[in-house]
Amino acid sequence: MRLTYCLLRSISKRNLLKSVRVQGINFGFGDENQRLTNSRKCVIVEYSSPNIAKPFHVGHLRSTILGNFIANLYERLGWKVVRLNYLGDWGTQFGLLAVGFQRYGNEEELQADPLHHLFQIYVKINADVVDEKKEGKTMTHQAGMDAFRKMEQGDQELLKIWQRFKDISIAEYSKLYKRLGVTFTEYHSESMYNKDAMSVTDRLKETGMLQTDSEGKGYIQIETEKGIPDRVNVLKSDGTTLYITRDIAAILDRQKTFNFDKIHYVVENAQHMHFCHLCGVMNRFPGWKNRLNEDIHIKFGRIEGISTRKGNVVFLKDVLDEATTRIKASILSKKSTKIEGVDIDAVAEELGKSAIIIQDLGQRRIKNYKFSWDRIMYSTKLQYCHARLCSIERNSGLNLEEDFHDDALTTNNQAGELISHLIKFEDIIQESFDTLEPYFIVRYLDQLCDHVNSAYRTCHVKNTDPSVGQAYLQMFHASKIILSNGMILLGLHPLERM
């Protein structure tokens, strides 16, 4: 059973600190029996999901780090987690991009900076569409539609171009995921479900769910919440499938492959109607009525006000580079900085990543938030505190003992406040799991750092009575474990030296 805050208050401070030390990385995530029970359950978390042939835009950052957090949380609680990156690689826009590459593609530029060149082509070909539309023409747009229809029909020349774009994109995205410390169990894509989507429409016809309007578009009537249209288009008038058709095919395939208990799509607020439609359609499938979990759509707001020295079209690589550069400059500008034995570039890189993640996950996910470069150093607070706790242990001159006296912990106010805060960790984990909201953990860890820094000024491990020093060492050691557990959950790599 999970220990509640009220029950833990009755446990001695010594027993709490011993429990943290013994359980280590598992502290806060339930007992072994709970994790064993959870291991029989499967959850799919779909996150990041960029569109191929475009640089990784900062707009996908929230999905990536929020989804990574949710996957981490389920894993630490014992669930089997399928981390799924569902690439956008199908649709009319890729037919248009193929036309654009034939019109504007340059092999040397593609080799030099693949995604940037493809992005330039994308911008140019869409500008052509807009310019033609002003003149009442649709030649380029029609060419894109024709190209995509040929792709769906198996045109080998166009599919070869498309596959090349896809391979380039995955290779470039993998570099950024490595920098962020984000991993996936599976890479899927819309194109995987092209044929399955057509089979889905055949099945919809057989069950009588699919209707056709006067323009030849295929649609389904659903029951859904107030304000959401109850008609869901699943086929274009030319017979090609839509994004939601492929999503239907994908969820049917995932159930067959993984037999999941829950599924989460980590996608911004603007896609609310799409997931209402998806659930509405699935509720009409035989055996699927109310089968999907209510929190299928993990909504989040947008990042506002973010720009780099390179301009306002913001790509994640540029944000990571600039965060690293700013933090390195700040570190080197301080007279107290000691860099012996430390790779300052690696430290700055980790601090930059940590600052971006903390600034994001420290917000209520449902809301838009304004990114601030001015807060970038403050957002490294957790890393600095963890490094300080590691330093306390290294320089203590003491070994952690199996038994110790906790008298000093009851007489020092700062020690008492710190331990009272440590007690709350498991409840915070549960609250975060119930809401799939990382904000609670970020806030808790931020307060933990404040308590540690306050206790550090009065709870001296060195140059004091050994029994007192041992008690304080145990307290700081437990603080380090809990801080590290929370940081890893958020997707950070805790630094031991800075």
Side-chain angles (χ1 to χ4, degrees):
M1 297 292 290
R2 183 173 67 89
L3 292 176
T4 65
Y5 175 49
C6 292
L7 179 58
L8 274 170
R9 284 193 303 180
S10 68
I11 298 177
S12 74
K13 294 179 173 65
R14 179 174 58 184
N15 286 345
L16 170 67
L17 300 185
K18 287 177 68 175
S19 178
V20 177
R21 187 182 71 238
V22 171
Q23 292 186 47
I25 62 172
N26 289 321
F27 183 80
F29 302 103
D31 61 31
E32 188 174 350
N33 288 332
Q34 283 178 301
R35 293 193 296 274
L36 180 60
T37 299
N38 288 341
S39 70
R40 303 185 184 102
K41 295 183 283 190
C42 175
V43 61
I44 296 176
V45 185
E46 182 192 299
Y47 58 107
S48 193
S49 305
N51 294 320
I52 68 162
K54 293 182 182 179
F56 199 106
H57 192 273
V58 75
H60 288 281
L61 174 65
R62 296 206 80 182
S63 174
T64 303
I65 60 180
L66 178 58
N68 189 55
F69 160 76
I70 292 170
N72 288 344
L73 183 56
Y74 272 102
E75 277 187 351
R76 296 304 300 273
L77 291 170
W79 286 61
K80 177 186 175 182
V81 179
V82 179
R83 298 167 174 264
L84 202 155
N85 194 348
Y86 187 58
L87 300 174
D89 71 337
W90 206 243
T92 304
Q93 69 269 32
F94 297 106
L96 193 61
L97 185 62
V99 173
F101 188 72
Q102 292 169 341
R103 191 176 295 180
Y104 298 114
N106 181 288
E107 202 54 45
E108 289 184 7
E109 292 182 33
L110 185 67
Q111 293 291 336
D113 194 343
L115 290 188
H116 180 66
H117 183 53
L118 291 178
F119 179 67
Q120 288 178 320
I121 293 171
Y122 181 83
V123 171
K124 288 178 180 178
I125 198 67
N126 276 278
D128 289 348
V129 171
V130 171
D131 290 342
E132 288 177 6
K133 189 175 181 179
K134 292 176 181 177
E135 299 175 0
K137 301 176 182 178
T138 60
M139 293 177 295
T140 300
H141 177 69
Q142 187 61 49
M145 292 183 65
D146 291 343
F148 177 59
R149 184 168 59 254
K150 289 178 181 178
M151 288 167 62
E152 286 206 304
Q153 293 169 350
D155 185 288
Q156 290 304 304
E157 183 179 348
L158 287 170
L159 287 175
K160 186 176 180 180
I161 295 173
W162 164 82
Q163 186 63 52
R164 188 181 183 197
F165 293 166
K166 185 175 177 180
D167 292 342
I168 287 170
S169 301
I170 292 174
E172 293 298 309
Y173 295 154
S174 295
K175 296 174 186 176
L176 283 173
Y177 290 135
K178 185 176 181 180
R179 288 185 71 177
L180 286 171
V182 172
T183 59
F184 298 95
T185 314
E186 304 272 337
Y187 276 85
H188 290 184
S189 59
E190 284 186 68
S191 59
M192 287 175 57
Y193 298 105
N194 177 36
K195 292 182 180 178
D196 287 351
M198 295 306 298
S199 298
V200 164
T201 60
D202 291 339
R203 184 174 171 185
L204 292 171
K205 289 175 184 176
E206 292 170 2
T207 58
M209 292 164 57
L210 185 68
Q211 301 179 56
T212 306
D213 66 13
S214 59
E215 296 178 352
K217 297 176 181 177
Y219 69 96
I220 302 168
Q221 291 291 148
I222 63 167
E223 294 181 5
T224 187
E225 65 183 59
K226 186 177 180 180
I228 300 294
D230 60 2
R231 166 177 161 154
V232 182
N233 290 336
V234 294
L235 272 179
K236 295 180 184 178
S237 57
D238 64 359
T240 56
T241 59
L242 293 162
Y243 184 87
I244 193 165
T245 327
R246 296 185 284 277
D247 249 359
I248 295 166
I251 203 168
L252 291 169
D253 177 67
R254 292 169 188 179
Q255 181 60 40
K256 182 179 178 180
T257 303
F258 302 110
N259 191 29
F260 62 82
D261 296 278
K262 296 177 73 175
I263 186 169
H264 298 298
Y265 297 84
V266 187
V267 185
E268 70 170 3
N269 296 335
Q271 296 299 313
H272 176 64
M273 184 172 74
H274 172 82
F275 290 102
C276 286
H277 281 170
L278 179 61
C279 291
V281 172
M282 296 312 301
N283 276 336
R284 290 200 60 188
F285 265 83
W288 279 84
K289 182 70 173 178
N290 298 324
R291 189 171 178 177
L292 295 174
N293 43 291
E294 290 185 4
D295 55 352
I296 182 174
H297 180 198
I298 306 300
K299 307 171 191 174
F300 59 84
R302 295 183 175 183
I303 306 174
E304 299 174 343
I306 187 169
S307 62
T308 68
R309 294 185 179 97
K310 291 189 175 183
N312 291 321
V313 178
V314 185
F315 301 124
L316 181 56
K317 180 181 182 300
D318 297 332
V319 174
L320 288 170
D321 288 346
E322 185 154 339
T324 300
T325 299
R326 285 175 181 249
I327 286 176
K328 182 177 179 180
S330 177
I331 293 172
L332 293 176
S333 70
K334 296 177 181 177
K335 295 181 180 179
S336 59
T337 295
K338 297 178 182 180
I339 58 175
E340 295 85 356
V342 175
D343 183 343
I344 192 167
D345 290 322
V347 168
E349 170 80 8
E350 188 61 43
L351 289 178
K353 180 190 82 173
S354 298
I356 290 168
I357 290 174
I358 291 301
Q359 189 167 166
D360 191 291
L361 297 185
Q363 317 294 325
R364 297 276 188 172
R365 63 174 168 81
I366 201 71
K367 297 180 179 179
N368 296 352
Y369 81 91
K370 290 187 177 180
F371 183 89
S372 171
W373 285 112
D374 294 335
R375 295 207 310 268
I376 204 76
M377 287 306 299
Y378 177 79
S379 299
T380 64
K381 179 180 177 180
L382 305 188
Q383 290 285 14
Y384 277 98
C385 185
H386 186 269
R388 166 173 275 183
L389 289 167
C390 291
S391 176
I392 290 172
E393 285 194 29
R394 280 196 306 271
N395 300 320
S396 67
L398 300 172
N399 294 318
L400 288 165
E401 298 177 0
E402 285 297 315
D403 201 12
F404 62 96
H405 298 289
D406 61 356
D407 294 346
L409 304 179
T410 62
T411 57
N412 184 289
N413 289 336
Q414 285 74 29
E417 290 173 0
L418 173 53
I419 293 174
S420 293
H421 193 70
L422 296 180
I423 287 171
K424 302 174 185 177
F425 183 59
E426 194 169 17
D427 283 338
I428 294 296
I429 294 295
Q430 188 63 45
E431 183 176 22
S432 188
F433 180 68
D434 290 342
T435 59
L436 297 180
E437 178 66 84
Y439 162 80
F440 298 115
I441 294 175
V442 175
R443 182 181 63 178
Y444 171 85
L445 296 181
D446 184 79
Q447 293 168 348
L448 173 59
C449 292
D450 290 339
H451 286 300
V452 166
N453 291 335
S454 179
Y456 177 75
R457 290 190 286 269
T458 62
C459 302
H460 303 300
V461 175
K462 296 176 67 174
N463 302 320
T464 189
D465 183 281
S467 64
V468 174
Q470 180 65 217
Y472 288 154
L473 179 62
Q474 296 277 352
M475 177 185 70
F476 286 127
H477 179 69
S479 300
K480 185 192 75 172
I481 289 174
I482 288 177
L483 178 58
S484 176
N485 285 355
M487 291 173 69
I488 292 170
L489 200 59
L490 296 171
L492 309 186
H493 172 69
L495 294 173
E496 296 185 3
R497 296 176 184 270
M498 289 173 58

